Amino acid sequence: MGRASTCNAPPPPPPPQISAQALTIVNKSLKPQKCDVDMSEIDHFLPLLTQQEEEGLTCPVISHGNVHFMWIKHSNLYLVATTNKNSNASLVYSFLYKLVEVFTEYFKELEEESIQDNFVVVYELLDELMDFGFPQTTDSKILQEYITQEGNKLEVAKTKVPTTVTNAVSWRSEGIKYKKNEVFIDVIESINVLVNANGNVMSSDIVGSIKLKTMLSGMPELRLGLNDRVLFALTGRDKGKTVAMEDVKFHQCVRLSRFESDRTISFIPPDGESELMSYRINTHVKPLIWIESVIEKFSHSRVEIMVKAKGQFKKQSVANNVEVRVPVPSDADSPKFKTSTGHAKYVPEKNLVVWTIKSFPGGKEFLMRAHFGLPSVENDEAEGKPPITVKFEIPYFTVSGIQVRYMKIIEKSGYQALPWVRYITQSGDYQLRTNT
């Protein structure tokens, strides 16, 4: 595939050893770049970053002269983009995180060793991911059609570039066939809640995601209908519960012009698993699992903890794999527990008691008591007062009341397909502060 690059020099051979800045070194030798930033500029990145870390002023954008370094860290690697213009930072960071996603798809684990062992594959991937400083094909499923990995050797799977790279539907290949055509829709909502020590909800919102697993033949068109408040207002319908979605983000397959004109979510889906859209609902959320705690310290000799958990959701629903994480002093020892259900364990490396309840029905209350010894005198103020955090998952239930009203599947062959819908509510950033 031809490249519109202004660099005439051939890329250097892969180095025998690659340090922790492996991707920084790879970045220096890329062919698909504009060459408006001197390749030696990257040598300034690590010294500048080290200096910032020593001063405690680490910044995601580091400047040297008129060159700006935008970087992320993954495992022991730095992924760095350079620019000398007022570039779109959101686009740059999205691309860097997409790099991590693609490399992880290929190598399972993205770390220094995987870069060393697959340097040629990394080079070829970067050559396709970016051209002349602009992101190009970033879908790992499409890239895997013509850049394959076998051991440490790159094989060109097809001499002909797949049409998915150049056609209007770059996220889906042609000629896909399934014996049974199905679509699985997961509506997943994460609840973010912050409760202060007096029991008042300080902040709360819902972050939702609609994920698809499509197993459909051909090139079908799908139309998804939700109980969207704006849609109902446009069509003059106001019956039933509706939701007001904010910060809506779509997969590239969704026809944005159609959505903006009449709120129809119309698309040709990627094959397999994908995230169709995400949204946020800014609303007051009643904590689904309410926590009351009493923590008493006795003359720096022992600490007694009592935690009561109550399910504040419908009785017919059940929260699965509930974890209540209670902070304890760093010098606590000799733990003793008593629970009305589930089991508690001490995690000393995190200074936590983790109370696990496998199944928590709505409307139920459970109790956990813990006793610890305190062998030394600690400065309570120095340790602070970390909040209690809760993890859970409630299937067949959404707090917002969002519903999939319909999923229409249209394909020229006219086959019948089955859509399946599943609703899940789970904890996001779920914190309850304590008095002690």
Side-chain angles (χ1 to χ4, degrees):
M1 186 172 179
R3 289 283 169 234
S5 174
T6 59
C7 298
N8 297 320
Q17 295 293 327
I18 303 178
S19 65
Q21 73 248 46
L23 287 189
T24 301
I25 293 177
V26 171
N27 188 38
K28 288 177 62 176
S29 60
L30 292 184
K31 182 172 73 172
Q33 55 184 326
K34 291 184 178 181
C35 289
D36 53 359
V37 176
D38 192 284
M39 287 191 291
S40 63
E41 287 289 341
I42 197 67
D43 295 333
H44 301 293
F45 170 70
L46 274 179
L48 289 169
L49 178 62
T50 303
Q51 181 182 344
Q52 284 195 356
E53 288 177 341
E54 290 173 353
E55 295 171 355
L57 300 171
T58 307
C59 179
V61 179
I62 299 175
S63 298
H64 179 262
N66 67 337
V67 176
H68 309 289
F69 303 101
M70 286 176 273
W71 63 279
I72 62 173
K73 186 175 183 181
H74 180 85
S75 187
N76 58 350
L77 300 174
Y78 292 102
L79 291 87
V80 185
T82 60
T83 180
N84 59 6
K85 296 179 173 62
N86 186 18
S87 300
N88 184 332
S90 297
L91 172 65
V92 173
Y93 284 109
S94 294
F95 180 76
L96 291 177
Y97 283 109
K98 194 68 182 178
L99 275 181
V100 173
E101 184 181 319
V102 170
F103 290 153
T104 304
E105 283 281 330
Y106 267 82
F107 312 134
K108 305 305 178 190
E109 296 290 337
L110 178 56
E111 54 189 17
E112 182 180 346
E113 186 178 351
S114 60
I115 297 299
Q116 289 176 326
D117 293 344
N118 299 278
F119 188 85
V120 179
V121 181
V122 169
Y123 196 96
E124 287 295 319
L125 285 171
L126 288 167
D127 199 33
E128 298 299 332
L129 285 159
M130 176 171 285
D131 190 12
F132 200 62
F134 295 100
Q136 297 296 314
T137 305
T138 59
D139 191 314
S140 59
K141 291 180 182 176
I142 302 304
L143 289 166
Q144 285 170 2
E145 289 189 26
Y146 61 105
I147 297 180
T148 62
Q149 177 196 23
E150 186 175 308
N152 301 332
K153 181 182 178 182
L154 174 71
E155 291 184 356
V156 180
K158 302 177 181 178
T159 56
K160 181 181 177 182
V161 176
T163 56
T164 46
V165 176
T166 56
N167 69 8
V169 188
S170 61
W171 53 88
R172 184 179 179 90
S173 303
E174 294 181 354
I176 297 172
K177 291 184 180 180
Y178 285 98
K179 289 183 178 179
K180 186 177 182 181
N181 293 287
E182 296 178 300
V183 181
F184 297 90
I185 308 166
D186 281 348
V187 181
I188 303 171
E189 292 191 337
S190 298
I191 309 301
N192 300 322
V193 174
L194 175 61
V195 180
N196 68 11
N198 297 323
N200 300 316
V201 177
M202 301 297 292
S203 64
S204 64
D205 67 358
I206 301 168
V207 177
S209 172
I210 296 181
K211 298 184 178 181
L212 300 180
K213 182 177 182 181
T214 57
M215 295 187 289
L216 298 172
S217 304
M219 197 70 72
E221 172 151 345
L222 277 58
R223 292 176 190 167
L224 176 68
L226 305 171
N227 55 336
D228 177 9
R229 185 169 300 172
V230 177
L231 172 62
F232 278 40
L234 286 172
T235 56
R237 289 178 294 177
D238 57 0
K239 294 181 181 180
K241 183 176 176 61
T242 59
V243 295
M245 298 182 292
E246 302 177 38
D247 299 338
V248 180
K249 299 174 186 174
F250 288 109
H251 187 279
Q252 62 176 323
C253 67
V254 175
R255 295 181 176 88
L256 294 180
S257 58
R258 183 81 185 270
F259 179 77
E260 289 168 359
S261 64
D262 61 11
R263 304 289 283 193
T264 298
I265 303 173
S266 174
F267 58 98
I268 296 173
D271 186 45
E273 297 181 359
S274 62
E275 182 180 64
L276 178 67
M277 61 179 288
S278 63
Y279 59 89
R280 183 176 63 86
I281 298 176
N282 190 11
T283 183
H284 178 80
V285 180
K286 181 176 73 173
L288 298 179
I289 295 182
W290 184 255
I291 302 294
E292 294 179 10
S293 64
V294 178
I295 302 173
E296 294 183 290
K297 294 182 180 178
F298 297 90
S299 303
H300 294 284
S301 61
R302 71 182 194 278
V303 59
E304 302 277 356
I305 300 171
M306 187 278 291
V307 176
K308 182 167 72 174
K310 181 179 179 180
Q312 298 191 137
F313 49 92
K314 295 178 181 179
K315 292 183 179 180
Q316 59 264 38
S317 296
V318 176
N320 297 326
N321 303 315
V322 177
E323 283 189 3
V324 181
R325 302 186 170 203
V326 185
V328 297
S330 58
D331 60 343
D333 63 8
S334 307
K336 296 177 183 177
F337 304 108
K338 186 177 181 181
T339 62
S340 59
T341 190
H343 68 275
K345 67 176 182 179
Y346 177 41
V347 185
E349 62 271 19
K350 295 183 179 179
N351 301 322
L352 288 175
V353 171
V354 179
W355 178 21
T356 304
I357 303 170
K358 191 172 183 181
S359 181
F360 196 134
K364 294 288 186 180
E365 286 186 9
F366 299 112
L367 196 67
M368 186 272 291
R369 295 182 183 274
H371 174 282
F372 286 89
L374 289 176
S376 64
V377 177
E378 275 289 330
N379 186 345
D380 294 339
E381 295 300 323
E383 288 206 352
K385 299 175 181 177
I388 293 174
T389 59
V390 185
K391 290 180 63 180
F392 59 85
E393 183 176 283
I394 307 174
Y396 318 116
F397 171 77
T398 58
V399 177
S400 69
I402 193 170
Q403 293 178 348
V404 175
R405 295 171 47 242
Y406 63 82
M407 169 66 86
K408 294 180 180 178
I409 303 166
I410 305 164
E411 213 278 332
K412 61 183 179 182
S413 65
Y415 61 70
Q416 296 295 311
L418 296 172
W420 304 90
V421 184
R422 179 174 62 171
Y423 299 95
I424 300 172
T425 292
Q426 61 189 19
S427 58
D429 187 11
Y430 198 104
Q431 300 184 4
L432 303 98
R433 293 174 178 167
T434 62
N435 278 312
T436 55

